Amino acid sequence: MTTKSISNPYSFSKMNVDEDEWVESMRKSILEHEEEVDKVAVSIFSVPNVLLATDPESYIPQQIALGPFHHWLPEVYDMQRYKLAAARRTVKKYNINFERMIETMKKKDEARIRACYHKFLDMSGDALIWMMAVDMAFLLEFLVVYSMKEEGRVIKKVNSSMSHLVDGSGKKLSHMAILRDLVMVENQIPLFLVKTMLEHQCKKVSDDYESVAKETLKKMLMGLYHELTPFQENELPDVDINECDHLLDFLYHLTVPNNKELGIMEAEIDIEEEDIAEVNDEEEKEKDSFAKESEVRRFMNYIWNILSKSNAGLVKVFKKLIFGKPMALLMKLPWKIISSLPILKMMKEPMERMLEKFQGEGEEKSEEDVGAQKSPTIEEITIPSVTEMARAGIRFSPVNGGIFDISFDHITSTLYLPVVDLDVNTEVYLRNLVAYEACVAAGPLVVARYTELMNGIIDTEDDAKFLRERGIVLNHLKSDKEVADLWNGMSKSVKLTKVPKMDKVIEDVNKRYSQTWRVKFAKFMNTYVFGSWKFLTVLAALFMLLLTALQSFCSVYSCARVFHQLPDIQGGSE
């Protein structure tokens, strides 16, 4: 009898691990652990799976990997030769003892580097430090372009080995791809290391090399920000480079500055959560309709109850007569002509929904239909679209600023939105800001809320076109449809959040929109007419009672003789 050997899936022998290195790493981690490292906050994260699944290419580097997360990916490892070339040029240009610099970094910074990453870095100290040093050399050489742009200079020549990747204008496809890779959450390296390498380079140039390195790095990152940001702020906050964890963190602080960076002691607007609480549906209906429930719905229900008790069979007949298939088919015949009339045009969609609803009433629903109804829908911010607001009389005006410059003017009914310049880099840039914000922000998710707002007001290509014509959207994409798809696709990857100032604007816009006569009339018709077959049945019953009374009157007073004596309106005679 043969016995099958059962392999243990958790067997240590199956792990691709060098036992001696593993024991040494455990010993160092426990016995030689520095207490100062515990104070280092994790700053470089993996993108949550719920975000990664929406658009992997926006979060996984396509051209170049920086740091350990994607270093060994075959798709990006081909760039290693260009990294090594950049490191060789750094050694030659600045006469740096690269090996001594590596030894210093390993002794002083290895534990701190590991503490910055939220994942356990399963690699030796030598491999980690060499990887970081080579990646930093490439990054600094790439950022030189943006340092010169920030100073108003134009780079005339790029090293020949990098010329097909990088150009002074930054318009090459490979250059754009690298640019997008630099801002990805998982593609960050600690900024203190970059500053350290710059200090090594500046030692040959200035005695005050620390301040020179800091100033140079800030110019590089400011130039990079101006290249990537879709906003056009007149004034930017003063961000301390020493307080930023990595390149993306610096860009985030410029996009969403804190009170210190804004130069204020406390928040300008302090709104209680209760002030932005959603209004109860019934209260909203009462406030926004022509008549309150006590004046319309109660009267309608009172008449309906009387008719129901007096002659239930007659009511059923009226219901079938009004909402049955014959009447529905009859109503569809002249509908194209009727719906073209200006006043009745706005009633077209509610009437069609009402007919579809009552045509299907009474029919058994299949299990598939029930399942389809129960399927969850993507939660979206509650605000009218751009075209809906425009029809209601709300205006739109561009403002040169950032996210915090969104506002609404009650007097002029104007929604002020920051000018947003959209190109091929914008989606990756904003997605990674949202992802990073979700990982680190203890307060409101400001960038996420902004993308939800833009998704809420831009539903279709027409909405994107409207904002483009008003100068709010500067579109460098192929079409207005791509603009709409960009915002709608991005908001699917984030959950709803609350940002007091922005939510106050949304609340004010909704309040102003609900006060317009078009919206009030539409809500009234949907609530009390198209939303209730009882109302139409009551009208039909009253009409039938009127005809019955008229018939009774004519049977007593001989209406035929009265009608015969009426003058001929056509002017003819028998």
Side-chain angles (χ1 to χ4, degrees):
M1 183 176 179
T2 59
T3 59
K4 295 182 178 179
S5 60
I6 301 176
S7 60
N8 184 356
Y10 303 102
S11 172
F12 186 81
S13 61
K14 284 186 172 292
M15 298 175 62
N16 187 20
V17 173
D18 186 303
E19 294 184 23
D20 293 334
E21 289 186 3
W22 183 83
V23 170
E24 179 63 18
S25 67
M26 295 299 102
R27 188 191 65 80
K28 290 179 62 177
S29 178
I30 296 173
L31 301 180
E32 299 180 12
H33 182 71
E34 299 177 10
E35 293 184 1
E36 291 295 324
V37 174
D38 293 333
K39 300 178 182 179
V40 178
V42 175
S43 58
I44 303 174
F45 305 85
S46 294
V47 177
N49 290 332
V50 66
L51 305 182
L52 186 63
T54 58
D55 186 9
E57 290 187 358
S58 294
Y59 304 105
I60 298 176
Q62 306 295 308
Q63 189 80 13
I64 189 167
L66 298 176
F69 282 171
H70 301 282
H71 182 79
W72 304 110
L73 283 181
E75 296 82 0
V76 294
Y77 193 73
D78 291 341
M79 288 292 293
Q80 189 69 13
R81 55 176 294 200
Y82 300 104
K83 294 181 184 180
L84 293 173
R88 288 193 295 269
R89 285 191 293 272
T90 299
V91 171
K92 183 177 180 181
K93 182 176 180 180
Y94 298 101
N95 193 24
I96 294 175
N97 190 325
F98 210 78
E99 197 164 2
R100 183 181 300 173
M101 185 183 70
I102 293 292
E103 292 176 358
T104 304
M105 287 174 59
K106 183 179 178 181
K107 183 178 180 181
K108 294 177 57 178
D109 301 323
E110 180 187 352
R112 186 179 175 185
I113 293 171
R114 292 182 183 274
C116 291
Y117 291 86
H118 92 284
K119 278 186 176 181
F120 177 72
L121 302 181
D122 189 14
M123 60 175 62
S124 66
D126 288 332
L128 178 63
I129 299 302
W130 275 98
M131 175 195 300
M132 288 293 181
V134 173
D135 286 354
M136 285 188 298
F138 178 88
L139 176 62
L140 287 173
E141 188 169 277
F142 184 86
L143 291 177
V144 166
V145 174
Y146 298 102
S147 174
M148 291 185 174
K149 282 187 176 182
E150 188 66 14
E151 294 175 352
R153 294 187 292 159
V154 178
I155 186 169
K156 297 180 179 180
K157 184 180 180 182
V158 179
N159 188 278
S160 58
S161 63
M162 293 272 287
S163 60
H164 74 288
L165 297 175
V166 182
D167 66 325
S169 63
K171 300 301 182 183
K172 288 186 176 181
L173 293 178
S174 55
H175 185 106
M176 301 293 276
I178 295 174
L179 201 58
R180 289 191 292 272
D181 289 344
L182 293 187
V183 300
M184 292 182 180
V185 173
E186 299 181 357
N187 221 24
Q188 301 302 308
I189 54 180
L191 203 58
F192 76 88
L193 286 179
V194 182
K195 185 170 174 288
T196 299
M197 177 166 277
L198 263 178
E199 289 174 356
H200 281 284
Q201 294 178 1
C202 295
K203 281 182 179 179
K204 305 293 182 181
V205 180
S206 172
D207 294 334
D208 190 13
Y209 58 88
E210 290 185 356
S211 59
V212 173
K214 179 181 176 180
E215 183 181 352
T216 303
L217 181 58
K218 189 168 185 178
K219 285 181 181 179
M220 290 178 174
L221 298 185
M222 289 297 296
L224 182 67
Y225 174 79
H226 287 138
E227 179 72 20
L228 287 168
T229 182
F231 305 112
Q232 299 182 353
E233 300 96 333
N234 291 324
E235 295 183 7
L236 289 173
D238 185 17
V239 179
D240 188 354
I241 201 78
N242 291 330
E243 295 184 2
C244 295
D245 296 319
H246 44 74
L247 182 150
L248 182 61
D249 187 44
F250 179 84
L251 299 178
Y252 180 80
H253 279 276
L254 283 173
T255 306
V256 187
N258 55 38
N259 291 339
K260 180 182 177 181
E261 292 160 351
L262 290 172
I264 57 179
M265 297 301 295
E266 57 183 12
E268 294 179 355
I269 293 184
D270 185 15
I271 302 172
E272 297 293 338
E273 288 295 327
E274 289 79 3
D275 293 338
I276 58 174
E278 294 184 2
V279 181
N280 183 274
D281 291 341
E282 293 298 326
E283 293 177 358
E284 187 72 21
K285 290 178 181 178
E286 285 190 14
K287 181 176 68 174
D288 296 332
S289 61
F290 285 130
K292 294 182 179 180
E293 181 181 7
S294 58
E295 300 171 2
V296 178
R297 189 180 294 276
R298 290 181 181 177
F299 172 76
M300 194 170 63
N301 289 335
Y302 175 74
I303 298 298
W304 171 252
N305 290 333
I306 293 177
L307 292 174
S308 299
K309 293 177 181 178
S310 62
N311 195 339
L314 182 63
V315 171
K316 291 181 180 180
V317 172
F318 288 151
K319 181 181 174 183
K320 289 183 179 180
L321 178 64
I322 296 174
F323 298 111
K325 291 185 178 180
M327 180 60 71
L329 294 173
L330 182 63
M331 287 291 292
K332 285 184 177 180
L333 292 177
W335 189 243
K336 288 185 179 180
I337 300 175
I338 295 174
S339 62
S340 63
L341 298 176
I343 297 178
L344 297 178
K345 204 168 188 179
M346 67 178 67
M347 299 169 59
K348 179 180 179 181
E349 291 185 7
M351 182 64 78
E352 288 177 345
R353 288 199 301 267
M354 182 191 70
L355 290 176
E356 291 176 0
K357 175 182 177 182
F358 289 105
Q359 280 178 15
E361 192 177 47
E363 296 179 2
E364 295 184 358
K365 297 180 180 180
S366 64
E367 294 183 0
E368 293 181 359
D369 294 336
V370 174
Q373 288 183 355
K374 291 183 179 179
S375 60
T377 56
I378 296 169
E379 197 171 12
E380 184 177 297
I381 195 170
T382 304
I383 191 171
S385 68
V386 168
T387 51
E388 288 173 340
M389 285 190 281
R391 284 196 294 266
I394 295 177
R395 302 175 182 177
F396 293 83
S397 179
V399 57
N400 288 331
I403 295 174
F404 287 118
D405 292 298
I406 297 174
S407 62
F408 182 73
D409 190 331
H410 298 271
I411 299 175
T412 60
S413 296
T414 303
L415 177 60
Y416 292 92
L417 294 172
V419 176
V420 56
D421 195 344
L422 303 181
D423 57 26
V424 293
N425 297 324
T426 304
E427 182 173 4
V428 173
Y429 178 70
L430 290 177
R431 276 184 178 272
N432 282 274
L433 284 180
V434 169
Y436 177 64
E437 182 180 61
C439 294
V440 301
L445 307 182
V446 179
V447 184
R449 195 59 167 167
Y450 171 73
T451 61
E452 290 165 3
L453 172 62
M454 296 302 289
N455 172 50
I457 66 175
I458 298 179
D459 289 336
T460 64
E461 182 179 351
D462 293 334
D463 296 325
K465 180 181 178 183
F466 185 93
L467 292 181
R468 176 175 56 81
E469 292 174 345
R470 297 303 182 279
I472 295 173
V473 171
L474 305 180
N475 186 12
H476 299 289
L477 302 176
K478 294 179 181 178
S479 65
D480 294 323
K481 184 178 183 303
E482 285 196 11
V483 174
D485 292 342
L486 183 150
W487 293 113
N488 293 325
M490 195 175 345
S491 189
K492 293 176 183 178
S493 64
V494 297
K495 63 181 181 180
L496 287 176
T497 182
K498 293 292 183 182
V499 178
K501 182 177 180 181
M502 209 176 304
D503 289 344
K504 186 65 170 61
V505 172
I506 295 169
E507 181 186 3
D508 293 342
V509 169
N510 285 331
K511 184 177 180 181
R512 176 65 184 87
Y513 178 76
S514 64
Q515 290 174 347
T516 60
W517 70 269
R518 290 175 181 268
V519 177
K520 284 185 176 182
F521 181 72
K523 286 184 177 180
F524 175 81
M525 296 297 291
N526 285 329
T527 303
Y528 300 113
V529 180
F530 302 120
S532 176
W533 62 267
K534 292 181 180 180
F535 182 79
L536 296 180
T537 307
V538 167
L539 290 181
L542 293 176
F543 181 70
M544 294 298 294
L545 289 175
L546 179 62
L547 291 180
T548 303
L550 181 62
Q551 184 180 17
S552 301
F553 176 83
C554 290
S555 64
V556 175
Y557 294 99
S558 184
C559 291
R561 185 171 54 191
V562 175
F563 287 122
H564 182 72
Q565 293 176 356
L566 292 175
D568 187 1
I569 60 175
Q570 294 181 351
S573 60
E574 291 183 356

